[in-house]
Amino acid sequence: QVTLRESGPALVKPTQTLTLTCTFSGFSLSTSGMCVSWIRQPPGKALEWLARIDWDDDKYYSTSLKTRLTISKDTSKNQVVLTMTNMDPVDTATYYCARIRSSGGHVDYWGQGTLVTVSS
Amino acid sequence: QPVLTQSSSASASLGSSVKLTCTLSSGHSSYIIAWHQQQPGKAPRYLMKLEGSGSYNKGSGVPDRFSGSSSGADRYLTISNLQSEDEADYYCETWDSNSRVFGGGTKLTVL
């Protein structure tokens, strides 16, 4: 059974760096073809893709946010970490991690999401 | 990079059928998409992968009432025998080798 769970601070101040952790089970990021993405959703708005990390440590970022994002993995802990620098109130959103298999290409499992509010 | 366009809202009566549309931008009409359902207050849930040929593969546990079809750049999600629990936001997703995009979502109201 595949599960993903996001964790991190619920509140960050403007200009701070956000660090989110995705802890997953039911698959391994050392298995060929496995990938994990981060996706966010501002309140009442649509989903926005942020970043992806692959089993072979290839990394991909949203063009509009790539200067602020870093994605990494700890295969031994079944975790993927996303950092976003210079947080702003417009970054207030629910942040989801999700699994992707390269054979399918699409997200096939979602985490429950974690709401991050940016406010002083 | 492709762009996905969805109507912002749709409505249909309990027990009826509804067809939601996701349109791929020019030059991307052959792209495969996926449909996701997001019930109020919940995380999205994967529904199906849908190819330009109209062939689709549903996720585990997705009811038979959900089906997909395609025509040109349009990708459709049809929900038959609408139930109250189908009231949700529906998002389409597509991807290429190094990026991913979601449509703006369609809010489905079951009357």
Side-chain angles (χ1 to χ4, degrees):
Chain A
Q1 179 188 2
V2 173
T3 64
L4 305 101
R5 186 181 75 251
E6 305 85 353
S7 58
L11 179 66
V12 297
K13 290 180 167 43
T15 76
Q16 286 187 336
T17 294
L18 171 68
T19 299
L20 295 172
T21 301
C22 174
T23 304
F24 55 87
S25 63
F27 69 98
S28 172
L29 253 185
S30 61
T31 301
S32 178
M34 292 299 172
C35 317
V36 170
S37 261
W38 284 94
I39 295 151
R40 71 178 179 179
Q41 184 175 37
K45 296 189 177 181
L47 301 165
E48 178 186 18
W49 176 73
L50 300 177
R52 185 185 108 206
I53 190 165
D54 295 352
W55 75 99
D56 56 3
D57 212 35
D58 279 349
K59 299 164 188 175
Y60 305 92
Y61 297 98
S62 162
T63 302
S64 60
L65 292 167
K66 66 182 303 179
T67 60
R68 298 174 53 205
L69 296 174
T70 303
I71 192 169
S72 62
K73 63 182 173 72
D74 185 332
T75 304
S76 66
K77 292 183 179 180
N78 280 350
Q79 291 181 333
V80 170
V81 174
L82 180 77
T83 63
M84 180 180 290
T85 61
N86 194 25
M87 293 292 284
D88 183 272
V90 299
D91 297 313
T92 294
T94 297
Y95 287 75
Y96 296 99
C97 62
R99 188 187 83 161
I100 296 162
R101 288 183 297 170
S102 62
S103 59
H106 55 84
V107 169
D108 60 0
Y109 287 93
W110 294 81
Q112 65 190 18
T114 186
L115 175 62
V116 177
T117 301
V118 184
S119 174
S120 54
Chain B
Q1 181 173 334
V3 174
L4 297 173
T5 302
Q6 298 182 252
S7 298
S8 59
S9 64
S11 62
S13 299
L14 195 67
S16 70
S17 296
V18 68
K19 191 175 187 179
L20 307 182
T21 305
C22 172
T23 301
L24 287 149
S25 53
S26 177
H28 301 95
S29 61
S30 65
Y31 274 50
I32 298 169
I33 73 153
W35 283 103
H36 302 274
Q37 176 195 60
Q38 187 175 34
Q39 294 173 322
K42 294 189 174 182
R45 169 198 182 193
Y46 165 66
L47 292 178
M48 68 177 69
K49 174 183 176 180
L50 175 59
E51 300 184 15
S53 64
S55 173
Y56 62 94
N57 287 294
K58 293 193 293 188
S60 174
V62 176
D64 292 342
R65 305 183 291 103
F66 290 80
S67 63
S69 59
S70 296
S71 177
D74 291 331
R75 307 285 183 266
Y76 305 107
L77 173 69
T78 298
I79 312 171
S80 304
N81 187 21
L82 271 169
Q83 303 297 303
S84 57
E85 61 264 30
D86 299 331
E87 185 160 291
D89 294 327
Y90 292 85
Y91 291 94
C92 52
E93 170 204 12
T94 196
W95 57 92
D96 58 22
S97 59
N98 57 11
S99 69
R100 184 166 306 271
V101 64
F102 292 89
T106 296
K107 183 177 186 64
L108 175 63
T109 300
V110 179
L111 304 172

